[in-house]
PDB file of all heavy atoms in Angstrom:
ATOM      1  N   VAL A  45      41.969 206.277-116.761  1.00  0.00           N
ATOM      2  CA  VAL A  45      40.697 206.791-116.506  1.00  0.00           C
ATOM      3  C   VAL A  45      39.991 205.938-115.585  1.00  0.00           C
ATOM      4  O   VAL A  45      38.873 206.192-115.066  1.00  0.00           O
ATOM      5  CB  VAL A  45      39.807 207.009-117.750  1.00  0.00           C
ATOM      6  CG1 VAL A  45      40.493 207.952-118.621  1.00  0.00           C
ATOM      7  CG2 VAL A  45      39.533 205.707-118.451  1.00  0.00           C
ATOM      8  N   SER A  46      40.583 204.804-115.173  1.00  0.00           N
ATOM      9  CA  SER A  46      39.960 203.886-114.151  1.00  0.00           C
ATOM     10  C   SER A  46      40.449 204.333-112.764  1.00  0.00           C
ATOM     11  O   SER A  46      41.696 204.195-112.521  1.00  0.00           O
ATOM     12  CB  SER A  46      40.413 202.403-114.398  1.00  0.00           C
ATOM     13  OG  SER A  46      39.842 201.972-115.661  1.00  0.00           O
ATOM     14  N   GLN A  47      39.493 204.769-111.849  1.00  0.00           N
ATOM     15  CA  GLN A  47      39.806 205.151-110.505  1.00  0.00           C
ATOM     16  C   GLN A  47      39.806 204.083-109.653  1.00  0.00           C
ATOM     17  O   GLN A  47      40.502 204.062-108.525  1.00  0.00           O
ATOM     18  CB  GLN A  47      38.916 206.330-110.192  1.00  0.00           C
ATOM     19  CG  GLN A  47      39.303 206.888-108.707  1.00  0.00           C
ATOM     20  CD  GLN A  47      38.590 208.236-108.463  1.00  0.00           C
ATOM     21  OE1 GLN A  47      38.471 209.067-109.417  1.00  0.00           O
ATOM     22  NE2 GLN A  47      37.981 208.385-107.261  1.00  0.00           N
ATOM     23  N   GLY A  48      39.016 203.077-109.911  1.00  0.00           N
ATOM     24  CA  GLY A  48      38.809 201.871-108.985  1.00  0.00           C
ATOM     25  C   GLY A  48      37.814 200.909-109.383  1.00  0.00           C
ATOM     26  O   GLY A  48      36.862 201.154-110.149  1.00  0.00           O
ATOM     27  N   LEU A  49      37.971 199.731-109.054  1.00  0.00           N
ATOM     28  CA  LEU A  49      37.104 198.553-109.327  1.00  0.00           C
ATOM     29  C   LEU A  49      36.897 197.819-107.954  1.00  0.00           C
ATOM     30  O   LEU A  49      37.889 197.345-107.445  1.00  0.00           O
ATOM     31  CB  LEU A  49      37.590 197.654-110.418  1.00  0.00           C
ATOM     32  CG  LEU A  49      36.655 196.620-111.031  1.00  0.00           C
ATOM     33  CD1 LEU A  49      35.554 197.267-111.719  1.00  0.00           C
ATOM     34  CD2 LEU A  49      37.614 195.745-111.997  1.00  0.00           C
ATOM     35  N   TYR A  50      35.655 197.590-107.599  1.00  0.00           N
ATOM     36  CA  TYR A  50      35.395 197.033-106.172  1.00  0.00           C
ATOM     37  C   TYR A  50      34.333 195.937-106.194  1.00  0.00           C
ATOM     38  O   TYR A  50      33.271 196.269-107.032  1.00  0.00           O
ATOM     39  CB  TYR A  50      35.032 198.098-105.155  1.00  0.00           C
ATOM     40  CG  TYR A  50      36.014 199.400-105.135  1.00  0.00           C
ATOM     41  CD1 TYR A  50      35.850 200.359-105.950  1.00  0.00           C
ATOM     42  CD2 TYR A  50      37.134 199.182-104.308  1.00  0.00           C
ATOM     43  CE1 TYR A  50      36.880 201.496-105.899  1.00  0.00           C
ATOM     44  CE2 TYR A  50      38.018 200.282-104.131  1.00  0.00           C
ATOM     45  CZ  TYR A  50      37.901 201.311-105.052  1.00  0.00           C
ATOM     46  OH  TYR A  50      38.808 202.467-104.941  1.00  0.00           O
ATOM     47  N   ARG A  51      34.422 195.046-105.428  1.00  0.00           N
ATOM     48  CA  ARG A  51      33.266 194.210-105.120  1.00  0.00           C
ATOM     49  C   ARG A  51      32.596 194.691-103.839  1.00  0.00           C
ATOM     50  O   ARG A  51      33.245 194.831-102.761  1.00  0.00           O
ATOM     51  CB  ARG A  51      33.638 192.708-105.053  1.00  0.00           C
ATOM     52  CG  ARG A  51      32.478 191.850-104.695  1.00  0.00           C
ATOM     53  CD  ARG A  51      32.973 190.403-104.395  1.00  0.00           C
ATOM     54  NE  ARG A  51      31.737 189.509-104.073  1.00  0.00           N
ATOM     55  CZ  ARG A  51      31.954 188.339-103.718  1.00  0.00           C
ATOM     56  NH1 ARG A  51      33.095 187.792-103.528  1.00  0.00           N
ATOM     57  NH2 ARG A  51      30.744 187.637-103.356  1.00  0.00           N
ATOM     58  N   VAL A  52      31.297 195.080-103.836  1.00  0.00           N
ATOM     59  CA  VAL A  52      30.505 195.444-102.640  1.00  0.00           C
ATOM     60  C   VAL A  52      29.697 194.260-102.356  1.00  0.00           C
ATOM     61  O   VAL A  52      28.816 193.832-103.179  1.00  0.00           O
ATOM     62  CB  VAL A  52      29.864 196.737-102.888  1.00  0.00           C
ATOM     63  CG1 VAL A  52      29.255 197.182-101.589  1.00  0.00           C
ATOM     64  CG2 VAL A  52      30.671 197.815-103.633  1.00  0.00           C
ATOM     65  N   ALA A  53      29.682 193.762-101.149  1.00  0.00           N
ATOM     66  CA  ALA A  53      28.978 192.577-100.791  1.00  0.00           C
ATOM     67  C   ALA A  53      28.410 192.769 -99.387  1.00  0.00           C
ATOM     68  O   ALA A  53      28.977 193.395 -98.533  1.00  0.00           O
ATOM     69  CB  ALA A  53      29.666 191.386-100.975  1.00  0.00           C
ATOM     70  N   GLY A  54      27.212 192.138 -99.089  1.00  0.00           N
ATOM     71  CA  GLY A  54      26.650 192.354 -97.708  1.00  0.00           C
ATOM     72  C   GLY A  54      25.406 191.497 -97.711  1.00  0.00           C
ATOM     73  O   GLY A  54      24.972 190.541 -98.387  1.00  0.00           O
ATOM     74  N   SER A  55      24.494 191.867 -96.861  1.00  0.00           N
ATOM     75  CA  SER A  55      23.135 191.268 -96.500  1.00  0.00           C
ATOM     76  C   SER A  55      22.139 192.376 -96.609  1.00  0.00           C
ATOM     77  O   SER A  55      22.330 193.523 -96.469  1.00  0.00           O
ATOM     78  CB  SER A  55      23.186 190.589 -95.085  1.00  0.00           C
ATOM     79  OG  SER A  55      23.364 191.604 -94.153  1.00  0.00           O
ATOM     80  N   ALA A  56      20.937 191.827 -96.718  1.00  0.00           N
ATOM     81  CA  ALA A  56      19.664 192.714 -96.777  1.00  0.00           C
ATOM     82  C   ALA A  56      18.473 191.933 -96.215  1.00  0.00           C
ATOM     83  O   ALA A  56      18.429 190.718 -96.418  1.00  0.00           O
ATOM     84  CB  ALA A  56      19.487 193.292 -98.168  1.00  0.00           C
ATOM     85  N   ARG A  57      17.453 192.705 -95.932  1.00  0.00           N
ATOM     86  CA  ARG A  57      16.276 192.105 -95.377  1.00  0.00           C
ATOM     87  C   ARG A  57      15.121 192.471 -96.469  1.00  0.00           C
ATOM     88  O   ARG A  57      15.042 193.663 -96.739  1.00  0.00           O
ATOM     89  CB  ARG A  57      15.848 192.620 -93.982  1.00  0.00           C
ATOM     90  CG  ARG A  57      14.657 191.878 -93.300  1.00  0.00           C
ATOM     91  CD  ARG A  57      15.023 190.892 -92.433  1.00  0.00           C
ATOM     92  NE  ARG A  57      14.060 190.236 -91.742  1.00  0.00           N
ATOM     93  CZ  ARG A  57      13.931 189.004 -91.364  1.00  0.00           C
ATOM     94  NH1 ARG A  57      14.970 188.187 -91.752  1.00  0.00           N
ATOM     95  NH2 ARG A  57      12.958 188.600 -90.652  1.00  0.00           N
ATOM     96  N   SER A  58      14.401 191.351 -96.859  1.00  0.00           N
ATOM     97  CA  SER A  58      13.391 191.743 -97.787  1.00  0.00           C
ATOM     98  C   SER A  58      12.287 190.675 -97.522  1.00  0.00           C
ATOM     99  O   SER A  58      12.525 189.488 -97.649  1.00  0.00           O
ATOM    100  CB  SER A  58      13.860 191.540 -99.257  1.00  0.00           C
ATOM    101  OG  SER A  58      12.760 191.646-100.169  1.00  0.00           O
ATOM    102  N   GLY A  59      11.055 191.223 -97.293  1.00  0.00           N
ATOM    103  CA  GLY A  59       9.915 190.313 -97.070  1.00  0.00           C
ATOM    104  C   GLY A  59      10.141 189.299 -96.017  1.00  0.00           C
ATOM    105  O   GLY A  59       9.642 188.104 -96.217  1.00  0.00           O
ATOM    106  N   GLY A  60      10.816 189.697 -94.965  1.00  0.00           N
ATOM    107  CA  GLY A  60      11.061 188.579 -93.934  1.00  0.00           C
ATOM    108  C   GLY A  60      12.181 187.755 -94.208  1.00  0.00           C
ATOM    109  O   GLY A  60      12.463 186.835 -93.300  1.00  0.00           O
ATOM    110  N   GLU A  61      12.863 187.828 -95.249  1.00  0.00           N
ATOM    111  CA  GLU A  61      14.021 186.917 -95.504  1.00  0.00           C
ATOM    112  C   GLU A  61      15.272 187.713 -95.425  1.00  0.00           C
ATOM    113  O   GLU A  61      15.398 189.043 -95.761  1.00  0.00           O
ATOM    114  CB  GLU A  61      13.963 186.524 -97.008  1.00  0.00           C
ATOM    115  CG  GLU A  61      12.923 185.508 -97.302  1.00  0.00           C
ATOM    116  CD  GLU A  61      12.984 184.850 -98.696  1.00  0.00           C
ATOM    117  OE1 GLU A  61      13.824 184.114 -98.981  1.00  0.00           O
ATOM    118  OE2 GLU A  61      12.199 185.276 -99.556  1.00  0.00           O
ATOM    119  N   ASP A  62      16.361 187.059 -94.985  1.00  0.00           N
ATOM    120  CA  ASP A  62      17.777 187.593 -94.962  1.00  0.00           C
ATOM    121  C   ASP A  62      18.435 187.112 -96.186  1.00  0.00           C
ATOM    122  O   ASP A  62      18.554 185.940 -96.446  1.00  0.00           O
ATOM    123  CB  ASP A  62      18.492 187.162 -93.733  1.00  0.00           C
ATOM    124  CG  ASP A  62      17.976 187.896 -92.515  1.00  0.00           C
ATOM    125  OD1 ASP A  62      17.638 189.114 -92.466  1.00  0.00           O
ATOM    126  OD2 ASP A  62      17.854 187.215 -91.494  1.00  0.00           O
ATOM    127  N   LEU A  63      18.898 188.024 -97.148  1.00  0.00           N
ATOM    128  CA  LEU A  63      19.475 187.739 -98.370  1.00  0.00           C
ATOM    129  C   LEU A  63      20.937 188.188 -98.514  1.00  0.00           C
ATOM    130  O   LEU A  63      21.302 189.237 -97.949  1.00  0.00           O
ATOM    131  CB  LEU A  63      18.621 188.317 -99.439  1.00  0.00           C
ATOM    132  CG  LEU A  63      17.150 187.965 -99.502  1.00  0.00           C
ATOM    133  CD1 LEU A  63      16.463 188.703-100.582  1.00  0.00           C
ATOM    134  CD2 LEU A  63      17.059 186.359 -99.808  1.00  0.00           C
ATOM    135  N   SER A  64      21.726 187.417 -99.126  1.00  0.00           N
ATOM    136  CA  SER A  64      23.018 187.939 -99.400  1.00  0.00           C
ATOM    137  C   SER A  64      23.112 188.556-100.877  1.00  0.00           C
ATOM    138  O   SER A  64      22.324 188.106-101.701  1.00  0.00           O
ATOM    139  CB  SER A  64      24.116 186.766 -99.345  1.00  0.00           C
ATOM    140  OG  SER A  64      24.171 186.219 -98.069  1.00  0.00           O
ATOM    141  N   TRP A  65      24.014 189.444-101.023  1.00  0.00           N
ATOM    142  CA  TRP A  65      24.083 190.037-102.400  1.00  0.00           C
ATOM    143  C   TRP A  65      25.613 190.571-102.546  1.00  0.00           C
ATOM    144  O   TRP A  65      26.349 190.720-101.756  1.00  0.00           O
ATOM    145  CB  TRP A  65      23.161 191.350-102.516  1.00  0.00           C
ATOM    146  CG  TRP A  65      23.420 192.429-101.369  1.00  0.00           C
ATOM    147  CD1 TRP A  65      22.635 192.405-100.120  1.00  0.00           C
ATOM    148  CD2 TRP A  65      24.456 193.339-101.290  1.00  0.00           C
ATOM    149  NE1 TRP A  65      23.128 193.453 -99.337  1.00  0.00           N
ATOM    150  CE2 TRP A  65      24.262 193.963-100.021  1.00  0.00           C
ATOM    151  CE3 TRP A  65      25.326 193.795-102.095  1.00  0.00           C
ATOM    152  CZ2 TRP A  65      25.000 195.031 -99.662  1.00  0.00           C
ATOM    153  CZ3 TRP A  65      26.143 194.836-101.797  1.00  0.00           C
ATOM    154  CH2 TRP A  65      26.035 195.435-100.544  1.00  0.00           C
ATOM    155  N   SER A  66      25.915 190.706-103.900  1.00  0.00           N
ATOM    156  CA  SER A  66      27.199 191.220-104.295  1.00  0.00           C
ATOM    157  C   SER A  66      26.949 192.064-105.583  1.00  0.00           C
ATOM    158  O   SER A  66      26.209 191.688-106.471  1.00  0.00           O
ATOM    159  CB  SER A  66      28.185 190.151-104.659  1.00  0.00           C
ATOM    160  OG  SER A  66      28.501 189.412-103.512  1.00  0.00           O
ATOM    161  N   VAL A  67      27.575 193.167-105.715  1.00  0.00           N
ATOM    162  CA  VAL A  67      27.552 193.986-106.912  1.00  0.00           C
ATOM    163  C   VAL A  67      29.046 194.632-107.097  1.00  0.00           C
ATOM    164  O   VAL A  67      29.909 194.434-106.254  1.00  0.00           O
ATOM    165  CB  VAL A  67      26.672 195.184-106.791  1.00  0.00           C
ATOM    166  CG1 VAL A  67      25.203 194.739-106.608  1.00  0.00           C
ATOM    167  CG2 VAL A  67      26.998 196.065-105.620  1.00  0.00           C
TER     168      VAL A  67
END
Side-chain angles (χ1 to χ4, degrees):
V45 303
S46 294
Q47 184 169 317
L49 187 67
Y50 306 90
R51 180 186 178 190
V52 190
S55 62
R57 187 94 176 150
S58 176
E61 292 184 74
D62 290 318
L63 304 172
S64 298
W65 53 266
S66 291
V67 296

